[in-house]
Amino acid sequence: MYALKCKNYVFDLDGTLLDSMPLAVKIVLDYLDEYGVPYEPSIVKILTPLGFRGISVYYARELGIPRTPDEIYAAFTERLSKAYADEMPLKTGVVEALKGLKSQGARLCVLTASPHEFTDICLKNRGIYELFDCVWTAEDFGMLKSDVRIYGEVANRLKVNISECAMVDDSLRVLKTAKSAGMRTIGVYEPFSEDEWAEIERTADFCVRRLDELMEK
């Protein structure tokens, strides 16, 4: 039996399936340090929903990094490619949860702000790519995950009612947006979002600290 008795699960990648936040955050903040740009710790909340292309634009246009967005993105790609391919582990319970849900007839998808060049090799190298029916990045929709319209588009592509889908994510902002669009929501604990966990528990329809809890009866 699976949580919410849902047949269509849409999983975030970073911080939900993948324990990527410590290294990814370090890499993008190190770039600011190299240019002597000051920032508050709360900047992580601003950057996370943007994806690396969006962060590149933000750095160039909002923070004044003297490089074009394309140049910044190229630097990120160089630094992050190996990390996503080989260094970032799956979070505890991910494989068990995905295989369990799949065996019970659930359809599994990924919707991430990270680009395909990181996402696809990451999932393939960890042996779980084939468990997903769809692997989407926000770029495939031309929208951010903070845009309420993207969740309706996901449901349209799956050819189901949006209420038949569950967004599984560690981001309070994403969970709120998906819920407002009509999706069911499952909050996942992530240490980088510790300060939001209490509100995530109040917001989401179901919450887990590790994904294999989705399989508990």
Side-chain angles (χ1 to χ4, degrees):
M1 186 171 193
Y2 37 88
L4 300 182
K5 298 181 180 179
C6 184
K7 284 288 188 178
N8 303 281
Y9 288 83
V10 184
F11 290 88
D12 171 52
L13 178 67
D14 297 285
T16 298
L17 296 173
L18 193 65
D19 189 10
S20 56
M21 293 300 290
L23 185 51
V25 168
K26 181 180 186 305
I27 287 170
V28 298
L29 295 185
D30 280 353
Y31 197 81
L32 291 181
D33 293 337
E34 290 170 17
Y35 284 91
V37 176
Y39 55 86
E40 297 293 329
S42 59
I43 195 174
V44 175
K45 297 291 189 297
I46 297 172
L47 301 179
T48 299
L50 299 180
F52 295 111
R53 290 190 188 278
I55 292 171
S56 301
V57 173
Y58 186 83
Y59 277 15
R61 297 179 182 173
E62 303 297 329
L63 299 186
I65 296 289
R67 292 290 183 271
T68 67
D70 285 346
E71 289 172 332
I72 297 170
Y73 184 72
F76 285 158
T77 298
E78 180 180 355
R79 300 176 190 201
L80 287 161
S81 292
K82 186 177 187 304
Y84 273 89
D86 301 320
E87 297 173 18
M88 297 172 176
L90 294 175
K91 296 187 81 170
T92 302
V94 166
V95 175
E96 295 84 353
L98 296 178
K99 288 184 175 179
L101 293 171
K102 194 77 173 177
S103 71
Q104 296 181 30
R107 183 159 46 170
L108 311 180
C109 301
V110 171
L111 176 64
T112 174
S114 293
H116 277 292
E117 54 259 50
F118 300 158
T119 300
D120 295 359
I121 190 66
C122 171
L123 297 176
K124 288 174 181 177
N125 283 2
R126 285 150 189 81
I128 61 172
Y129 185 87
E130 298 302 325
L131 293 175
F132 294 101
D133 298 88
C134 308
V135 175
W136 291 311
T137 78
E139 293 175 359
D140 295 327
F141 297 86
M143 305 176 199
L144 298 176
K145 287 176 66 181
S146 56
D147 188 328
V148 69
R149 298 172 298 165
I150 198 170
Y151 303 99
E153 287 301 312
V154 165
N156 287 340
R157 292 193 187 188
L158 293 175
K159 295 181 169 53
V160 297
N161 189 285
I162 195 168
S163 64
E164 298 175 84
C165 302
M167 186 69 213
V168 188
D169 209 296
D170 63 297
S171 165
L172 175 62
R173 185 177 184 182
V174 167
L175 292 167
K176 283 184 172 181
T177 305
K179 190 167 189 175
S180 70
M183 271 195 183
R184 306 183 82 180
T185 51
I186 298 173
V188 179
Y189 178 77
E190 163 55 48
F192 266 82
S193 303
E194 173 72 42
D195 60 330
E196 296 180 340
W197 182 241
E199 190 171 356
I200 287 173
E201 288 186 302
R202 291 191 295 270
T203 299
D205 298 302
F206 193 82
C207 286
V208 296
R209 285 187 169 264
R210 39 187 284 168
L211 283 186
D212 53 1
E213 293 173 21
L214 291 175
M215 301 305 300
E216 292 185 0
K217 294 183 178 180

